[in-house]
Amino acid sequence: MTEIKALYADMQKFFQPLWPGEDKPLVFGEGNAMQPPLMLIGEAPGETEVIKRRPFVGKAGKNLDEFLTLVGMNREDIFISNVVKIRPCEIGPTGRTRNRAPNKEELSLFTPWLMKEIAIIRPKVLVTLGNVPLKALCGPKITIGDCHGTFLKTEGGTPLFALYHPASIIYRRELKTVYQADVLTLKEALFRNNDI
Ligand code: URA
């Protein structure tokens, strides 16, 4: 078994008994697990991701395609994962299940596993999407508004590039050009290689 598969098997064993009677399947990372140029880290899977048991395949998958086109890479070139690996959800006023932000308990349960995942994958650059993965890796004080489009150092030493979450662009259209400019900054840095 590869190291990453062994980690995911350990996670399965750890999380299975935590929420008895609740259906909370884990959605693991996927892609190039051998020191990829980029490891993309989102917040948590949504409904489609849980159905397909794959990260970033729902609406967010379309945004991911746009990211890949801008940066000039294929999905198979990079590793894609989330901080929280279950779908955080709640029942809305209409009685339908809807996504919610991960809570403190979920974040503190999953973040140590994300650290182990990063240590196994050993990407050249970590790319966080939005505040949740950024804060998980750099601490609660930092915000995406302050540091998007820049490189930060993580505790493990891997450079981290902060991007807005693509979903936030849907609510704040003015962020679209900012997001695209940030992705191009990342692309140039990857090509130049020396200022990362
Ligand atoms: N889908 C994911 O897998 N992660 C996100 O952050 C959003 C949608």
Side-chain angles (χ1 to χ4, degrees):
M1 203 191 297
T2 62
E3 240 188 306
I4 193 69
K5 285 212 171 121
L7 178 82
Y8 292 159
D10 286 348
M11 284 185 77
Q12 197 72 49
K13 264 191 232 148
F14 176 88
F15 283 99
Q16 210 146 36
L18 283 195
W19 297 290
E22 285 182 76
D23 187 25
K24 294 196 178 195
L26 297 172
V27 178
F28 295 121
E30 66 173 28
N32 175 7
M34 309 278 284
Q35 300 180 41
L38 298 180
M39 176 171 172
L40 222 67
I41 307 173
E43 186 174 303
E47 186 182 15
T48 312
E49 283 79 13
V50 166
I51 293 168
K52 300 198 173 160
R53 300 282 206 277
R54 295 181 63 201
F56 285 95
V57 287
K59 258 193 218 144
K62 275 214 185 101
N63 297 314
L64 177 65
D65 290 342
E66 192 196 354
F67 167 83
L68 290 168
T69 306
L70 283 171
V71 88
M73 288 186 190
N74 296 313
R75 197 174 163 112
E76 311 74 62
D77 297 331
I78 67 171
F79 196 81
I80 302 164
S81 199
N82 284 299
V83 180
V84 169
K85 284 164 172 80
I86 53 162
R87 177 191 180 201
C89 56
E90 62 191 6
I91 309 292
T94 57
R96 290 181 53 172
T97 305
R98 64 181 184 191
N99 294 343
R100 58 164 172 76
N103 61 31
K104 275 195 183 147
E105 187 206 7
E106 289 158 346
L107 289 168
S108 60
L109 279 170
F110 279 100
T111 301
W113 293 95
L114 174 67
M115 303 299 194
K116 291 186 200 180
E117 193 180 17
I118 293 168
I120 291 170
I121 301 295
R122 293 169 61 201
K124 190 161 187 316
V125 174
L126 291 162
V127 178
T128 52
L129 301 176
N131 265 320
V132 169
L134 176 67
K135 286 172 188 281
L137 295 174
C138 295
K141 286 196 187 136
I142 202 149
T143 70
I144 187 66
D146 290 339
C147 69
H148 68 90
T150 65
F151 281 96
L152 305 166
K153 269 267 173 288
T154 57
E155 226 177 82
T158 312
L160 180 156
F161 191 80
L163 284 178
Y164 277 105
H165 196 287
S168 64
I169 292 159
I170 298 168
Y171 308 110
R172 291 177 60 192
R173 296 304 298 173
E174 77 276 11
L175 287 184
K176 180 135 184 127
T177 45
V178 176
Y179 173 82
Q180 289 175 337
D182 289 348
V183 176
L184 292 179
T185 302
L186 170 65
K187 182 181 182 178
E188 278 166 27
L190 290 172
F191 274 98
R192 274 202 310 274
N193 204 16
N194 49 9
D195 51 353
I196 296 176

